[in-house]
Amino acid sequence: GGMEVATGLRRLRRQVEQHIHETRHAILGLRSEEAMARSLAARLKASASELVTGTGVQVEFTVSGQERALPPHQGEQVMRIAQEAIRNAARHSGDNVVYVTMSYESPGFTLTVRDDGKGFNPDEEASRKSERWGVMGMQERARKAGARFSLRSKPGMGTTVTVEIPESPGEDA
């Protein structure tokens, strides 16, 4: 009778929902792998334009050497540091261009985010300014990625953030 039909439909609906859930999960999984496979430069370019929206700041990219995928744990941290550095430069430097350089050496990798803006004295203003620049967070991310981190700045001389991975084997090691 009607009850059995309703129960059957409920069961079917649950199965369909479960299936949709699993499919969506699989697609998201693929998407993130695909995103990781897309080069760091491509991903950073895509997100950089969002980071500087409405600021009138341009981001100029230079990629040198043979691009290769960094191991995910490194790629992700480097990406986040770069985003933070670009955001900072766009907000605080007063300059209208941020220069992002990625060099793939073998065996290492270096990312530089530089502006020719106002800069600051990192020592003197360590606590206040560097907090504003999220420096602690960037340092921590670099540490997780096994990378060297440096921030160089002088008043009137702009700011340069450098992240250096001494060796990143890439895919084929």
Side-chain angles (χ1 to χ4, degrees):
M3 282 302 290
E4 288 154 42
V5 173
T7 310
L9 281 175
R10 266 204 303 277
R11 191 183 304 122
L12 186 62
R13 185 171 168 201
R14 258 206 311 277
Q15 287 172 342
V16 169
E17 281 172 356
Q18 181 62 26
H19 181 71
I20 289 172
H21 178 77
E22 284 168 12
T23 305
R24 186 176 295 145
H25 233 73
I27 290 170
L28 287 174
L30 287 174
R31 201 176 291 157
S32 62
E33 295 220 335
E34 193 181 306
M36 291 308 301
R38 271 178 65 204
S39 75
L40 195 59
R43 290 167 64 213
L44 203 48
K45 277 177 194 167
S47 74
S49 54
E50 291 168 31
L51 293 172
V52 298
T53 300
T55 60
V57 172
Q58 302 257 295
V59 185
E60 282 190 17
F61 283 89
T62 310
V63 179
S64 64
Q66 189 55 54
E67 271 194 76
R68 60 181 186 277
L70 298 176
H73 73 282
Q74 289 184 327
E76 206 44 55
Q77 302 295 359
V78 169
M79 177 90 173
R80 293 283 172 75
I81 293 168
Q83 288 172 328
E84 179 76 15
I86 291 167
R87 192 186 293 118
N88 289 336
R91 279 196 197 149
H92 305 307
S93 75
D95 194 15
N96 51 8
V97 186
V98 180
Y99 302 93
V100 179
T101 309
M102 293 184 226
S103 34
Y104 293 84
E105 301 104 21
S106 36
F109 168 82
T110 306
L111 165 95
T112 310
V113 178
R114 176 176 71 83
D115 66 72
D116 296 326
K118 347 191 219 300
F120 60 96
N121 181 336
D123 301 330
E124 183 185 301
E125 309 191 47
S127 50
R128 202 164 48 84
K129 270 272 174 63
S130 68
E131 210 26 69
R132 192 174 91 180
W133 280 68
V135 173
M136 303 299 281
M138 291 194 279
Q139 281 171 330
E140 181 55 24
R141 287 186 182 286
R143 200 182 59 72
K144 283 185 189 152
R148 285 195 286 272
F149 174 87
S150 75
L151 184 150
R152 285 195 307 281
S153 189
K154 279 198 183 105
M157 301 286 286
T159 303
T160 303
V161 167
T162 308
V163 178
E164 216 178 325
I165 297 176
E167 50 187 287
S168 72
E171 298 303 39
D172 42 18

